[in-house]
Amino acid sequence: MLDEKILILGAMQMHLPLIKRAKERGLYVHTCDYVIENEGHKYADEPHYDSTTDFEAVLKIATKAQIDAVFTFNSDPAALTAAYVTKVLNLPGGGYEAVKVMSEKDLFRQFLLNNGFNVPKFSNYTDWKSLEKDISKFKFPILLKPVDSSGSKGVVIINNPEHLRESFENALQFSRCKRIIIEEFIESVGAQFHGDGFVYNNKFVFVYLGDHHFNAAINNLVPYSTTFPSQHSQEDIERVKKEVERFISLVGFKQGGINIEARISAADGNVYLIEVGPRNGGNFTPIVIQYAAGFNFVDAMIDSALGVFKTGEQEINPNGYFAYLILHSSKEGMLKNISINPELEKKVIEKYIYVKKGERVHSFKGANAAIGVLIVKFDSFGDMNNYIDNFADYYKIELE
């Protein structure tokens, strides 16, 4: 048996780069994910089929197996579990208190407010009567979010009170702690910033930001792409970085990948942090960034979790124009076929298909409705913008 044993929380396709790399490095890999069929389990030395949100079950696995490192790659719920287990077992981690603030949207907003960051008007609710009493205090449009959901599940923009109660009751189904946050919507100047960073010893090692893209015809809160580099000015990029860096310092996040979403408000020109998640982004965002700017998030995560990370701050090394593109559908049905335009296919450097022929396809109302992900390299900004703006013309989802 190998000496160093790690426990990776999550065994989906998005965890495969981390699981495979850990195996390449000779580590003894345990995976934990209650979905038995998830592909990552196949590569593990020992798979476990508990929920990644079950603190005590994961702690039991880690204790019994004498695990040396516990971490995840792109899951908010699993990040909090990893932080809990590493705290109890005194292993390297992000820090439970910091990760909890970063994982729950109302705690995050309150922390920002208490520390002088720009925040929209917000409040949290556990019952409809309290929200109904307060709703006149908010200026529409508003965002309604489960405080602890991920992948935009249950998140909606509401333009008037007519459908508020229905949306509130629906959002509660996606919240494990049964809390909902309401906040006023921030109209953005240009695209929403999106990217990943890496923190070690409570300091930035690396950060790279791109631009989020949404399909407003289906759900303008669920991104179908992030493109790198960002088309925002370097001055605005630096403004966002400074706000994130200040947040990381104050909240006390010790180490690991972080996922960043931010906007510059059209109303006042200030930077607003939408999210600073205590894990790398979904849709293979850290892998796209590795192609685009050279930073290896996978090795950094493994090294930091094992307590052997030595590299200091790393510079961005731009390497062209890259994006992830999510294959998705506006309709429900059974998958018959996926066809990709040959011109786009030539630019694809990695492809991940989640839904098999004959399996159900869901309308793209949340990130969990993705059919697959393409990692793509483009020739120029213009080339990238053409494919992003006209993405629907370059692939076809046939349903039965």
Side-chain angles (χ1 to χ4, degrees):
M1 184 179 292
L2 302 174
D3 291 335
E4 293 175 307
K5 300 178 290 294
I6 67 170
L7 174 58
I8 297 175
L9 304 186
M12 298 170 65
Q13 285 199 46
M14 282 185 281
H15 298 94
L16 288 179
L18 187 61
I19 296 168
K20 289 181 177 180
R21 180 59 180 150
K23 290 297 297 175
E24 288 174 2
R25 290 181 52 168
L27 302 173
Y28 192 89
V29 177
H30 295 252
T31 52
C32 180
D33 191 317
Y34 75 92
V35 180
I36 296 173
E37 297 79 15
N38 276 348
E39 191 174 352
H41 286 314
K42 300 174 186 176
Y43 296 90
D45 295 290
E46 291 188 40
H48 304 270
Y49 305 112
D50 294 284
S51 169
T52 60
T53 63
D54 188 332
F55 284 18
E56 296 308 321
V58 176
L59 177 61
K60 184 177 179 180
I61 293 168
T63 303
K64 183 177 180 181
Q66 296 183 313
I67 292 295
D68 298 298
V70 182
F71 50 99
T72 188
F73 201 36
N74 51 21
S75 169
D76 281 314
L80 189 58
T81 306
Y84 169 77
V85 173
T86 54
K87 178 181 180 180
V88 173
L89 298 182
N90 196 29
L91 298 173
Y96 180 77
E97 290 75 15
V99 171
K100 186 171 178 63
V101 169
M102 296 164 75
S103 298
E104 299 183 14
K105 296 176 178 63
D106 52 347
L107 301 183
F108 176 67
R109 284 276 176 265
Q110 191 62 51
F111 184 91
L112 294 179
L113 180 65
N114 292 346
N115 287 278
F117 291 85
N118 300 306
V119 291
K121 187 172 184 178
F122 72 94
S123 189
N124 67 346
Y125 300 93
T126 57
D127 64 275
W128 165 248
K129 288 186 178 180
S130 298
L131 173 55
E132 185 180 35
K133 184 178 66 174
D134 279 2
I135 195 59
S136 61
K137 301 176 184 178
F138 290 92
K139 180 181 178 182
F140 285 84
I142 59 173
L143 282 171
L144 185 152
K145 306 176 182 179
V147 302
D148 54 353
S149 72
S150 57
S152 300
K153 293 187 289 291
V155 181
V156 291
I157 295 178
I158 300 175
N159 292 297
N160 59 66
E162 184 179 353
H163 301 293
L164 182 58
R165 182 166 189 173
E166 178 185 352
S167 297
F168 176 80
E169 299 294 346
N170 178 64
L172 277 177
Q173 299 178 35
F174 294 98
S175 174
R176 295 180 303 282
C177 65
K178 302 304 178 185
R179 295 202 315 275
I180 304 300
I181 185 172
I182 296 287
E183 60 185 53
E184 293 182 352
F185 182 73
I186 302 166
E187 191 68 45
S188 179
V189 175
Q192 176 170 286
F193 291 90
H194 178 238
D196 278 3
F198 195 82
V199 173
Y200 195 67
N201 286 336
N202 195 223
K203 296 183 182 300
F204 262 142
V205 172
F206 178 87
V207 61
Y208 194 48
L209 299 176
D211 297 332
H212 250 161
H213 302 272
F214 302 86
N215 187 338
I218 304 176
N219 186 338
N220 59 356
L221 295 174
V222 184
Y224 70 88
S225 179
T226 299
T227 54
F228 296 93
S230 172
Q231 294 193 66
H232 283 279
S233 70
Q234 192 58 42
E235 178 185 358
D236 284 342
I237 291 171
E238 290 302 322
R239 289 170 62 198
V240 172
K241 285 182 181 179
K242 286 180 181 178
E243 286 293 271
V244 177
E245 193 166 23
R246 185 164 75 91
F247 169 77
I248 290 297
S249 176
L250 289 170
V251 80
F253 183 71
K254 297 175 185 176
Q255 65 178 52
I258 60 169
N259 183 240
I260 301 160
E261 296 179 10
R263 292 188 168 203
I264 293 179
S265 168
D268 59 23
N270 291 323
V271 171
Y272 286 75
L273 300 181
I274 304 302
E275 176 182 305
V276 183
R279 44 77 187 173
N280 286 113
N283 304 315
F284 299 92
T285 297
I287 306 304
V288 179
I289 292 177
Q290 184 173 351
Y291 280 114
F295 185 79
N296 190 326
F297 283 96
V298 172
D299 276 330
M301 179 61 72
I302 293 171
D303 287 343
S304 64
L306 289 171
V308 296
F309 188 84
K310 296 180 180 178
T311 307
E313 186 174 354
Q314 294 191 23
E315 293 183 359
I316 295 169
N317 296 307
N319 189 35
Y321 307 90
F322 293 83
Y324 69 75
L325 296 170
I326 297 180
L327 301 171
H328 61 279
S329 172
S330 61
K331 300 177 181 179
E332 307 269 339
M334 309 305 288
L335 181 62
K336 182 179 180 181
N337 190 50
I338 303 170
S339 55
I340 300 172
N341 182 291
E343 291 303 311
L344 174 58
E345 189 80 64
K346 285 188 230 177
K347 299 175 183 292
V348 175
I349 51 181
E350 292 189 30
K351 182 195 306 185
Y352 299 87
I353 303 299
Y354 303 148
V355 183
K356 298 176 183 177
K357 290 182 180 180
E359 293 182 339
R360 174 156 293 280
V361 168
H362 297 279
S363 177
F364 194 53
K365 299 296 177 63
N368 59 335
I371 296 169
V373 176
L374 310 177
I375 299 178
V376 186
K377 181 177 183 180
F378 301 98
D379 298 328
S380 64
F381 260 131
D383 185 42
M384 185 162 67
N385 288 340
N386 170 59
Y387 281 93
I388 296 302
D389 293 343
N390 302 289
F391 181 41
D393 298 333
Y394 288 96
Y395 75 101
K396 184 178 181 181
I397 305 296
E398 297 179 57
L399 304 177
E400 292 181 321

